[in-house]
Amino acid sequence: MKTLKIAVLPGDGIGPEVMQGALAVLEKVAGQEGFGLDCSTWDVGGAAIDNHGVALPDATKEGCRAAEAILFGSVGGPKWESLPPKEQPERAALLPLRKEFSLFANIRPGLLYPELVQASPLKEERIPQGIDIVCIRELTGGIYFGQPKSTTELEDGDVEAIDTMVYRASEIRRIAEVAAVAARERGGRVCSVDKANVLETSVLWRKTVTEFFAKEYPDLELSHLYVDNAAMQLVSNPNQFDVLFTENMFGDILSDELAVVCGSIGMLASASLGKGENSHGLPFGLYEPAGGSAPDIVGQDKANPCAQILSAAMMLRYSFGETAAADRIENAVKKVVKSGVRTGDIAFGADAVGTHKMVEAIMAELG
Ligand code: NAD
């Protein structure tokens, strides 16, 4: 029997609460689709600081290295906010994990069911059918990592800071490939976002993307937008996009804009794919909800488990090729939410259920 080796990192706050639901759902679909699960659970973030003195203990890293994908909850909370910034849970756990596994592609579905359009700050008439886009962000290159990077006191008394934006054509082709694969599974349309009217890296980006798609994916429809225009289009007519993809900093901003446009953070999943292939010949990846540890609702059975459950579905799809199981989960979540069973964040004042009841409803829908 095919077995999926998963490192489970529940983390802090609502992380462990929603992770429990995701694991129950995974077990159920594993039985239905006939694959096995080999899950090992590791401390990360504040929980790891409390138990081991650091946010990302060696044992956790080892556990992740031995696995084929990471299912991540969320980290952080007020308890660890007074630590030096470098030791705080997010910075000391998530960023090193991204680096360790060369997680170069961040995939964020911007999904808003028509029944939840009230959750979006956009006027309902702009998104009558909800929103369904995927935003793909390059995660390990660009201005966040380019050298030199410095702050210098100048002789004239002024201070100068330098960041450097660097991209190689090979890095651009690698992320373009992820966008192309996603588009093939969806509507076949890809929009590449850059600032080719100003930046050298963007000129290379546009040229490389154009050549790559012409050669490797001529069946897909490719368009280009400048990032300032993309930001405007995302709030004026988000559904014109199918797959949107861009470099690191532009993607940081646009993917957060997309999350806001889609309303509830409790519904949004994400994947960060690595360079390496796992034993299934698919990308190693880290899968996590778009939101944080939500300290304001922790321990109250109020957290929406859907983002974590949908992240588990993305893991099945991207790291294990279990498309039928992923579809099963996504359809079950959609049906339950559409039927009106909802946690407080998406109930709009109507009766809400708690985390446990929400998971139960999804399990029941799975059959
Ligand atoms: P947050 O996403 O945790 O919370 C923002 C708001 O969204 C809160 O009102 C919260 O209750 C709500 N929310 C979030 N997820 C929800 C869910 N599943 N169901 C219902 N409501 C939900 O962001 P924040 O308050 O800025 O950060 C809190 C902590 O989380 C901080 O320590 C921050 O560093 C950390 N954080 C971690 C990650 C991560 O682990 N990837 C991401 C963002 C923030």
Side-chain angles (χ1 to χ4, degrees):
M1 190 202 275
K2 176 175 171 186
T3 299
L4 320 188
K5 216 163 177 218
I6 303 165
V8 178
L9 277 53
D12 309 315
I14 61 166
E17 299 172 29
V18 291
M19 186 64 83
Q20 225 182 358
L23 292 178
V25 164
L26 273 178
E27 259 181 40
K28 180 131 202 175
V29 293
Q32 290 171 328
E33 293 292 332
F35 56 81
L37 295 174
D38 175 2
C39 295
S40 58
T41 302
W42 305 94
D43 280 338
V44 73
I49 293 173
D50 289 352
N51 294 336
H52 314 277
V54 285
L56 186 63
D58 287 343
T60 301
K61 268 195 264 181
E62 273 306 311
C64 292
R65 262 186 230 123
E68 295 162 331
I70 303 172
L71 189 59
F72 193 94
S74 50
V75 290
K79 186 173 176 192
W80 305 281
E81 267 164 17
S82 53
L83 288 174
K86 274 189 174 166
E87 292 171 27
Q88 288 186 15
E90 248 188 293
R91 197 151 155 201
L94 253 182
L95 299 189
L97 270 176
R98 280 182 191 154
K99 202 168 164 205
E100 172 84 25
F101 294 101
S102 305
L103 302 173
F104 72 93
N106 181 249
I107 306 179
R108 266 207 212 177
L111 187 61
L112 177 67
Y113 306 142
E115 291 77 6
L116 297 184
V117 289
Q118 284 178 71
S120 173
L122 298 191
K123 287 189 183 126
E124 288 191 36
E125 56 263 31
R126 286 190 188 263
I127 44 168
Q129 73 280 47
I131 298 172
D132 185 1
I133 315 174
V134 171
C135 180
I136 295 179
R137 164 188 170 197
E138 202 289 327
L139 207 55
T140 52
I143 201 162
Y144 293 176
F145 294 96
Q147 293 296 335
K149 214 179 232 311
S150 63
T151 305
T152 313
E153 303 225 350
L154 302 175
E155 281 174 6
D156 64 4
D158 211 345
V159 184
E160 183 183 76
I162 298 174
D163 290 296
T164 307
M165 191 183 241
V166 187
Y167 268 108
R168 287 177 174 222
S170 53
E171 288 175 297
I172 299 168
R173 280 193 290 271
R174 187 170 73 171
I175 192 77
E177 170 94 46
V178 174
V181 170
R184 274 237 171 113
E185 292 206 343
R186 294 173 46 91
R189 291 183 299 116
V190 177
C191 179
S192 168
V193 174
D194 60 41
K195 189 72 181 167
N197 49 346
V198 180
L199 299 173
E200 287 294 316
T201 43
S202 281
V203 172
L204 178 67
W205 182 280
R206 191 172 284 216
K207 179 174 179 287
T208 308
V209 167
T210 304
E211 288 171 1
F212 175 79
F213 276 83
K215 185 161 176 253
E216 306 289 340
Y217 293 92
D219 54 311
L220 298 177
E221 187 187 317
L222 173 68
S223 60
H224 302 272
L225 270 188
Y226 295 137
V227 63
D228 41 349
N229 190 7
M232 290 191 286
Q233 297 300 326
L234 207 49
V235 287
S236 48
N237 180 15
N239 285 315
Q240 69 184 279
F241 299 115
D242 180 15
V243 174
L244 196 64
F245 88 104
T246 188
E247 63 89 47
N248 202 346
M249 180 169 60
F250 299 160
D252 191 0
I253 299 164
L254 290 182
S255 62
D256 269 12
E257 187 185 352
L258 178 61
V260 168
V261 161
C262 286
S264 175
I265 201 91
M267 294 298 297
L268 299 176
S270 83
S272 299
L273 304 186
K275 257 201 308 219
E277 280 186 2
N278 61 25
S279 70
H280 306 279
L282 290 163
F284 181 92
L286 181 149
Y287 300 85
E288 60 173 333
S293 59
D296 54 329
I297 55 168
V298 69
Q300 299 170 38
D301 195 37
K302 280 187 181 165
N304 186 343
C306 292
Q308 188 76 61
I309 291 170
L310 293 171
S311 299
M314 288 187 86
M315 176 183 73
L316 293 177
R317 189 181 299 287
Y318 287 101
S319 282
F320 297 109
E322 291 292 341
T323 312
D327 287 346
R328 246 182 215 275
I329 295 176
E330 286 165 1
N331 288 332
V333 170
K334 196 185 293 179
K335 274 200 182 153
V336 167
V337 170
K338 286 187 174 193
S339 77
V341 181
R342 296 176 193 171
T343 43
D345 57 314
I346 49 170
F348 313 118
D351 283 346
V353 299
T355 311
H356 284 94
K357 282 266 171 341
M358 192 75 196
V359 172
E360 271 171 28
I362 293 166
M363 297 282 279
E365 185 58 49
L366 283 167

